[in-house]
Amino acid sequence: MVSFSVLIITHGREELLLKCLDSLRPQVEKWQLIIVANGLPVSEKVLTLAHSLTSEVDILKLEAKETPGKSRNEGLKLARYDWVYFIDDDAYVYPRY
């Protein structure tokens, strides 16, 4: 069984993030979701959806907006698995990807 971490950086684009998360409906049994809130908090709506997708959810809130590279590096520190999938908050995953 392959296990992996999914890392998403977001900054104030809640509707796009919700669409992205919705496309991540479980396609494997064990995976971790890492959301890096780059300077702005994520809403309760986002948290609820994230926790409905996987039990392994980590939210990292950066106090000040950082560059995408620095944000990804900070989020990467939370990854528990050898494989990490980076996806932008305005992208989505096709079924069975």
Side-chain angles (χ1 to χ4, degrees):
M1 174 175 63
V2 175
S3 300
F4 60 94
S5 301
V6 174
L7 177 59
I8 304 171
I9 310 300
T10 190
H11 176 78
R13 302 194 309 178
E14 181 176 298
E15 290 306 313
L16 291 171
L17 178 59
L18 288 168
K19 288 178 183 178
C20 174
L21 290 174
D22 193 50
S23 76
L24 292 172
R25 293 279 168 203
Q27 298 182 35
V28 295
E29 289 181 33
K30 192 168 174 100
W31 63 288
Q32 173 194 20
L33 175 60
I34 304 165
I35 299 175
V36 179
N38 192 3
L40 294 174
V42 294
S43 71
E44 195 62 39
K45 193 175 183 180
V46 168
L47 293 175
T48 300
L49 179 55
H51 285 287
S52 75
L53 298 172
T54 181
S55 61
E56 295 186 61
V57 177
D58 291 288
I59 308 293
L60 174 61
K61 183 182 179 302
L62 302 178
E63 293 303 317
K65 188 173 182 193
E66 299 290 346
T67 64
K70 182 168 182 173
S71 300
R72 284 185 186 96
N73 288 341
E74 291 300 313
L76 196 54
K77 293 175 185 177
L78 300 175
R80 295 198 242 341
Y81 300 110
D82 292 335
W83 292 94
V84 180
Y85 178 72
F86 297 97
I87 186 170
D88 293 333
D89 62 356
D90 63 346
Y92 59 91
V93 178
Y94 289 100
R96 297 186 312 270
Y97 179 73

